[in-house]
Amino acid sequence: MFRKFLTIIFAALIMTAPVYANEKYENTEKNGIIFNSDTLEDGNYYVPVQLWHAYANQESMGNTAFKENPNALVKVKDGTASIDIATNPVKVTVFYSAMENLRYTGKDGNTTYAKPIQKDTVTAYGYENDSAMQFYELEYLRIFEISVPADKSEYTAVEIKTPYTPMQLTGEWMEARLKFDWTSVVKTNDTSLTPNPISPENTTQTTSSTTETTTESTTQTTTETASEETTENAIVYSVPVEMVQAANPSVMSMGDDALDGNAVVTIKGGRAYVDINFKAVVKTGIYGHLLKMWSYPSSDKMNYDRWGDPTYEIPAEVIAVYNDYGMKYPSGDTTLSEFVKTVRIERDTLKEDHIYIRVQVDAMDGFDQAARINFDWDNAAEKQKYTYGDVNCDGKVTETDTISVLQNVLSDSFALQIQNETADWLQYADVDLDKNVTANDAALIYKKASDSTFILPCENK
């Protein structure tokens, strides 16, 4: 009797245990869908979702529209996942808008528009070009649905429209990615998604939010920009570099071919900020890329006792990435992945003639290499101190620069950080060369922030 009781309990546990993978399939195809162990079994689930930048590994500015509804409802049937996602209106400094539309690449490879499940209307505000603030009725996607294979893919590439915001100044769709956290999936009996109420902070525009954004920008400028010793303004140098072997500095390193041009060294406040660009190289039939880099304190020789010791080993900051083919590209594999383009090393010592580093590259997986970067200061040249479009003076062109330009256009009392830095500030903010700072400058700066390869008009003068 006891054995029969245990059998019944065991059977009940099996019936009630969540099974999220379709284990009965092994790479079988049905109606154009490949089933395998990663395919979700039929049923409904909740999974965390975020809107991420199209290329960089970070949240998109548009993720604000998802934060009040962080879980998507996934309905799986025969290997297809119908994913319902709720959104909320958002504030972006002087704008109040919402997601008007979304499109993605469907299972057939064609552009597919999200299916509206629920639409709401909001009184949004913003402006077009340099006109005064406008209020308008905007119908937006309160809940939308996309249909994709139920293969637990982490990212789905999308394009969104949010009118009258910095993201729409170019008049184009904004590229982004939906990011799903399948490690936190939960099974549910729910068949429809109920959006959470819109929070008060996303129903009105307040002065305090603009103030907070401005303060954050100023703080970032203080901590991240660079300059000469104790002076206010940055001194920026273009310095020829080479990579040599750590153990034998008279011999070039294999990694020297991966260096892409001169290093950019910015000196400010008694610190040096060293930016080094990298590119892919082919070695022994493998298309290799930099993955990570660490640097060590100043020394005449490489101290291998410091290898892996976080007390001495300082991770380089990744400040730019790019999409490229992987290691098997020479064999015809054209799969694209994201790789490191530019790293930044922060140093206490100014104008060092060499820095010891550890690098991790995909072509030598599991075998990091020590090397030395030599700096040719005899042939260094002082560069332009500021970057076109970087009106916040934090050393890079970002979406925050776009917002600052728009605030400056709308309010005479809002000063750009670049105005406090140099009397020649206009050339860095007036990127379209019309001798004024306008919404068109903001649009161009936004394109530069989204795509570092985009050439601003002022860069071609």
Side-chain angles (χ1 to χ4, degrees), residues 241-243 255-261 276-279 281 293 373:
V241 288
E242 64 178 7
M243 188 183 298
D256 183 67
D257 290 340
L259 294 174
D260 190 12
I276 304 174
N277 295 321
F278 288 86
K279 61 186 177 182
V281 292
M293 176 185 287
I373 301 287

Side-chain angles (χ1 to χ4, degrees), residues 184-205:
S184 301
V185 65
V186 176
K187 206 162 190 180
T188 179
N189 292 323
D190 293 351
T191 58
S192 61
L193 182 65
T194 302
N196 292 319
I198 300 171
S199 66
E201 67 186 40
N202 277 327
T203 57
T204 57
Q205 175 72 27

Side-chain angles (χ1 to χ4, degrees), residues 20 22 28-43 45 47 73-83 104-110 112 145-157 178 180 182:
Y20 300 145
N22 229 322
T28 58
E29 183 174 350
K30 180 181 178 182
N31 296 327
I33 296 175
I34 303 297
F35 290 80
N36 54 42
S37 60
D38 286 330
T39 305
L40 286 165
E41 70 167 7
D42 288 0
Y45 310 86
V47 62
L73 177 62
V74 183
K75 296 169 288 187
V76 179
K77 179 69 173 176
D78 293 334
T80 295
S82 299
I83 304 179
Y104 63 104
T105 301
K107 294 181 295 183
D108 58 2
N110 295 322
T112 304
E145 181 180 283
I146 64 172
S147 181
V148 295
D151 56 6
K152 294 193 289 189
S153 293
E154 184 177 12
Y155 296 103
T156 296
L178 293 173
F180 300 98
W182 295 107

Side-chain angles (χ1 to χ4, degrees), residues 84-150:
D84 293 353
I85 301 173
T87 73
N88 53 268
V90 297
K91 297 180 305 181
V92 181
T93 61
V94 292
F95 299 90
Y96 180 57
S97 188
M99 187 181 298
E100 183 180 41
N101 213 339
L102 179 144
R103 65 189 185 188
Y104 63 104
T105 301
K107 294 181 295 183
D108 58 2
N110 295 322
T111 298
T112 304
Y113 287 83
K115 176 183 177 181
I117 302 299
Q118 178 183 327
K119 283 191 172 185
D120 283 357
T121 302
V122 66
T123 301
Y125 53 83
Y127 74 98
E128 189 171 17
N129 298 323
D130 296 319
S131 61
M133 182 71 70
Q134 297 180 21
F135 292 82
Y136 54 95
E137 296 300 304
L138 172 65
E139 187 178 55
Y140 73 97
L141 297 173
R142 183 64 165 135
I143 304 176
F144 65 88
E145 181 180 283
I146 64 172
S147 181
V148 295

